[in-house]
Amino acid sequence: MRPILNVLTRRDAATRGRGRRHVSTNAESELVVSILGPPNAGKSTLFNRLMCKESNRAYRLGSDKRGGKTRSNGRVGYRDPSRRSHGGAIVSPVAGTTRDRRECVGRLGGTYFRLVDTAGVDGERIDVSFGRRNEGSMEGAMIRQTMEAARQSDLVLLMFDARLGVSSDLLETIKWLRRISRHTPSASESESESESVVESLPRHRREIAILANKLEGDRWASGGDRGEVLDNIAEVARAGLGEPIPISAEHGDGMAEIASLVDRLTREKRARLGLPERDDADEGGGRRRRKGDASSSSSSSSSSSSSSSSSDQETRPLQLAILGRQNVGKSTLVNALLGEERVIAGEMPGLTRDAISVPWLWKGRPVKIVDTAGIRRGAKRERSNDEIEDLAVLDAMRAMKLADVAVLVLDSRARVVQRQELAIADAVVREGRSLVIAANKMDLVVDAGYAAHDYACAVRDQIELRYPMLRKTPVVAMSSLSGDNVHKLMPVVFNARERWSRVIPTGMLNRWLEEVVDEHSPPMQQGRPAKIKYILQTKGRPPTFLLFCNVTELPVSYLRYLTRSFQDSFDMFGMEVRLVVKKSAAENPYSNKVSTNKTTGIGGWQGRQKRFVAGLKRTGMPLLKGKRTQRKK
């Protein structure tokens, strides 16, 4: 059987140069800052510190505000040893934790920039980049991502552990950075590749700053190890890249010098591009105007608010999370959609760790696609005792909670839908997100007598048989490796978001309710007939409705009947339809009101009842209406 996932394919090799020229033009006004260095130097810790939490915060829709586990009672579980809630990069003392290139919006003071975290650079990976070793390995994919980050950067922050000293990996990294800064191609690169690299590089010389990390406080300058640390700093300074900046990424020491450097380079870049200088206060206020917009829109009229919400629906990027088990082709699917080797893909399970968010334009419509780590059963992770995998699963579940649409990728080689995949689908639906199934690797099962449509129908039938609430969920049969039917995924995804955020008029809802109740009325509750008076929608994303009844609750079986009928009528498949029962007010709102009649005697219905009984006793016939005299015979 031919391999399903390869680190490099002919399609990736063909699109790598085009994607590099497109990405690395660096014509944006924002400064691009990348963090490089040897493994376990503290790059991800600095990345999390420089990340702007407010700018990178995605919206939450109906999720648990406390950031706990999902509502699903399936087999998707995770331990949270670090209690991370900001969604930063995974930090671990294990060297080589970071593998992919992760980007975010960074902030120092009032200056905003684009921040890139990279994998560790050592001598072996540099040899791979120069073609001295196996280029098709995972190390080759990691160094290519790091090289791409360095090429498109305006500022490279080269970090090293000042207490360990200058290593051969650090010296090789410095030589490599100085080499690409001079636009000198390696001897092993082909002529066409060298020309494309030179064309993709910025025309100005990038700045390289060396950061001496893990120097907390001032004990390193006055303590017993003062001489050793100063010797290490002096040795690095002789490399010709300037004096190192002592920092502590864990405690935030030395951030002021980095902030001044970033601010200076930002102003220089804007002046070089012919852009006016931006006021930091205005820039920060513009980014923080999201909350102000929400408060100001609440005071406007309902028509303007609805128009603004519809325009926001068009301009806001679609949050798309790619989920699934390990080694099902999630990263390969992301690369196939983007048309470049953006994330690392390979045959080894567990390659992806961080949830990599990539902004993308699909036919002019903004999309933020997130590649996540494979989710295994909790029992298998507990046996492996891998804390990094738990953090990766936590990051994947966070990406699912912040998504509009979640794409669940299946592996056709399994022939059946796994229990873990059903648990992931259950978590997506219960979290209130829209679900789309991507049946990957169809080229392994489709032949002359078995088409892709038959494969998609078989997957849909299996899911409906095991989880009836997910019946008629959109299924796209594809092969991300060969690119077959990959183009059919995004139209289905956008259609799923439109249905997920749809607001149905109240009149249409009540006409549907009348037809459904006439066909099958609700059963009796507590000895009295249950009546559903009317229905209205409280919100979309996910669609939520209130059923006003004369009882406090309806049977679960009847709610399922309503849900199935609602899905069939309004095409709400692949998502949870939340029906909430609310008991309406009493039939007579004045039944408990104290009477203000101050007349004496018995009046009202009590008096009429008493006169009616007295007339029956005297004559055997009731009195005439409105008459207090006895009826004459």
Side-chain angles (χ1 to χ4, degrees):
M1 182 179 296
R2 61 184 178 86
I4 304 304
L5 298 178
N6 293 319
V7 177
L8 287 177
T9 62
R10 295 180 180 177
R11 176 183 51 79
D12 295 333
T15 58
R16 196 191 315 159
R18 294 195 298 269
R20 180 180 300 170
R21 286 193 294 271
H22 172 72
V23 175
S24 303
T25 53
N26 200 13
E28 301 177 356
S29 60
E30 289 187 341
L31 193 74
V32 181
V33 180
S34 61
I35 306 174
L36 274 73
N40 206 14
K43 300 182 294 299
S44 296
T45 304
L46 180 63
F47 178 84
N48 293 337
R49 178 165 292 277
L50 299 182
M51 174 190 293
C52 179
K53 306 301 187 296
E54 184 171 350
S55 299
N56 293 279
R57 181 187 304 154
Y59 57 92
R60 298 180 67 91
L61 305 173
S63 302
D64 185 10
K65 301 300 181 183
R66 300 180 181 178
K69 297 182 180 180
T70 62
R71 296 170 52 196
S72 172
N73 56 358
R75 308 163 77 87
V76 181
Y78 49 84
R79 301 186 300 271
D80 188 3
S82 64
R83 304 296 179 188
R84 299 181 311 124
S85 60
H86 53 78
I90 297 177
V91 177
S92 172
V94 179
T97 299
T98 303
R99 291 174 177 171
D100 283 290
R101 184 174 86 243
R102 182 163 186 168
E103 301 180 6
C104 75
V105 177
R107 178 185 177 186
L108 278 172
T111 305
Y112 292 85
F113 51 92
R114 202 176 80 191
L115 186 64
V116 185
D117 186 21
T118 62
V121 182
D122 54 17
E124 295 183 0
R125 295 172 185 172
I126 293 177
D127 291 342
V128 170
S129 66
F130 290 155
R132 301 168 188 164
R133 300 201 178 193
N134 185 15
E135 189 179 357
S137 62
M138 182 186 68
E139 304 294 331
M142 293 169 64
I143 193 62
R144 281 192 298 274
Q145 297 291 334
T146 304
M147 291 173 65
E148 186 65 30
R151 287 190 178 98
Q152 62 178 291
S153 299
D154 300 296
L155 173 62
V156 176
L157 300 178
L158 179 59
M159 297 184 63
F160 75 101
D161 190 346
R163 297 188 180 275
L164 295 180
V166 181
S167 61
S168 59
D169 295 336
L170 179 62
L171 295 178
E172 290 290 336
T173 305
I174 293 175
K175 294 179 182 178
W176 173 69
L177 286 175
R178 295 178 67 177
R179 187 171 187 177
I180 66 172
S181 296
R182 292 194 302 264
H183 299 175
T184 304
S186 62
S188 61
E189 290 179 331
S190 63
E191 184 178 356
S192 60
E193 180 72 13
S194 302
E195 292 177 357
S196 64
V197 171
V198 172
E199 291 176 359
S200 67
L201 291 172
R203 295 302 179 185
H204 65 281
R205 180 183 177 89
R206 68 178 54 83
E207 190 87 10
I208 301 176
I210 301 182
L211 307 180
N213 193 24
K214 304 184 182 180
L215 298 181
E216 296 84 4
D218 55 356
R219 291 188 58 186
W220 61 272
S222 59
D225 55 350
R226 174 177 180 271
E228 182 179 356
V229 173
L230 293 181
D231 291 343
N232 295 334
I233 294 178
E235 184 178 356
V236 175
R238 289 193 292 269
L241 295 179
E243 198 71 24
I245 302 175
I247 68 166
S248 174
E250 181 70 26
H251 298 85
D253 298 340
M255 297 296 110
E257 297 186 40
I258 302 178
S260 61
L261 178 62
V262 170
D263 181 69
R264 176 178 64 83
L265 293 178
T266 300
R267 296 180 185 274
E268 292 178 359
K269 182 174 182 179
R270 294 186 64 84
R272 186 172 58 252
L273 296 176
L275 300 175
E277 291 190 3
R278 225 172 9 188
D279 189 7
D280 294 339
D282 294 341
E283 181 182 357
R287 290 182 182 270
R288 290 188 298 269
R289 203 170 294 144
R290 300 169 182 172
K291 296 182 180 179
D293 292 340
S295 60
S296 61
S297 63
S298 61
S299 60
S300 61
S301 62
S302 60
S303 60
S304 62
S305 64
S306 61
S307 62
S308 63
S309 62
S310 60
S311 62
D312 180 71
Q313 178 74 14
E314 295 295 332
T315 59
R316 182 176 52 82
L318 184 146
Q319 304 279 340
L320 178 61
I322 309 296
L323 304 174
R325 296 185 296 115
Q326 290 185 352
N327 205 10
V328 295
K330 301 183 297 298
S331 299
T332 309
L333 175 60
V334 172
N335 291 336
L337 290 172
L338 299 178
E340 60 174 314
E341 189 187 358
R342 178 58 182 84
V343 292
I344 298 176
E347 295 181 359
M348 186 179 72
L351 280 178
T352 305
R353 288 176 174 173
D354 290 284
I356 307 300
S357 177
V358 183
W360 179 42
L361 280 178
W362 180 78
K363 294 184 178 180
R365 308 176 70 176
V367 180
K368 183 173 287 186
I369 184 170
V370 183
D371 183 26
T372 62
I375 303 176
R376 292 197 301 171
R377 292 176 51 188
K380 293 184 178 180
R381 296 197 301 271
E382 291 175 0
R383 287 196 296 267
S384 63
N385 197 20
D386 189 356
E387 180 178 315
I388 298 178
E389 187 177 356
D390 281 327
L391 293 174
V393 173
L394 172 62
D395 220 13
M397 300 306 294
R398 174 187 171 275
M400 182 270 293
K401 292 181 180 181
L402 301 178
D404 297 339
V405 181
V407 176
L408 178 60
V409 184
L410 308 181
D411 189 352
S412 64
R413 294 179 300 177
R415 301 291 179 176
V416 294
V417 181
Q418 304 291 326
R419 296 180 62 185
Q420 179 66 10
E421 293 167 341
L422 289 175
I424 297 173
D426 179 61
V428 170
V429 174
R430 289 181 178 271
E431 195 62 31
R433 303 306 181 257
S434 184
L435 179 66
V436 174
I437 305 296
N440 196 20
K441 306 180 184 180
M442 71 170 187
D443 51 336
L444 301 179
V445 296
V446 173
D447 51 20
Y450 189 71
H453 177 71
D454 301 330
Y455 175 43
C457 293
V459 173
R460 187 181 295 109
D461 293 340
Q462 285 193 23
I463 294 176
E464 181 177 352
L465 179 63
R466 300 191 179 190
Y467 195 12
M469 191 56 64
L470 290 180
R471 63 192 185 93
K472 298 184 181 180
T473 300
V475 178
V476 181
M478 65 175 63
S479 175
S480 57
L481 184 62
S482 60
D484 296 339
N485 294 339
V486 174
H487 64 281
K488 297 181 179 180
L489 179 62
M490 293 309 299
V492 175
V493 168
F494 273 97
N495 179 264
R497 187 181 73 162
E498 292 174 0
R499 293 185 288 107
W500 177 66
S501 57
R502 179 185 177 187
V503 178
I504 304 175
T506 305
M508 185 182 300
L509 287 174
N510 284 277
R511 286 193 296 271
W512 164 81
L513 180 64
E514 183 179 358
E515 295 177 0
V516 172
V517 172
D518 289 343
E519 182 179 352
H520 186 191
S521 59
M524 298 185 62
Q525 295 292 307
Q526 299 178 355
R528 57 183 302 188
K531 296 181 180 179
I532 305 177
K533 299 182 178 180
Y534 61 96
I535 182 176
L536 60 87
Q537 184 175 3
T538 58
K539 67 170 186 176
R541 304 159 37 186
T544 306
F545 304 90
L546 276 181
L547 294 171
F548 289 88
C549 309
N550 63 340
V551 292
T552 57
E553 61 181 7
L554 292 174
V556 178
S557 59
Y558 193 77
L559 289 178
R560 289 177 179 171
Y561 160 73
L562 293 178
T563 301
R564 291 175 65 91
S565 176
F566 186 88
Q567 289 178 337
D568 293 333
S569 301
F570 298 100
D571 197 22
M572 291 290 185
F573 299 107
M575 64 192 73
E576 182 182 21
V577 178
R578 297 179 177 177
L579 299 177
V580 182
V581 178
K582 181 177 178 61
K583 186 177 181 180
S584 59
E587 297 175 353
N588 185 3
Y590 303 99
S591 59
N592 297 327
K593 189 174 181 179
V594 180
S595 177
T596 58
N597 188 7
K598 302 299 182 181
T599 59
T600 59
I602 300 177
W605 69 272
Q606 294 179 347
R608 291 193 297 272
Q609 184 71 13
K610 186 175 181 180
R611 290 192 295 272
F612 179 78
V613 174
L616 289 176
K617 289 182 179 180
R618 288 195 303 267
T619 63
M621 297 180 63
L623 297 176
L624 295 176
K625 185 176 182 180
K627 301 293 183 179
R628 297 194 179 187
T629 58
Q630 185 178 3
R631 177 180 295 183
K632 298 180 180 179
K633 295 184 180 179

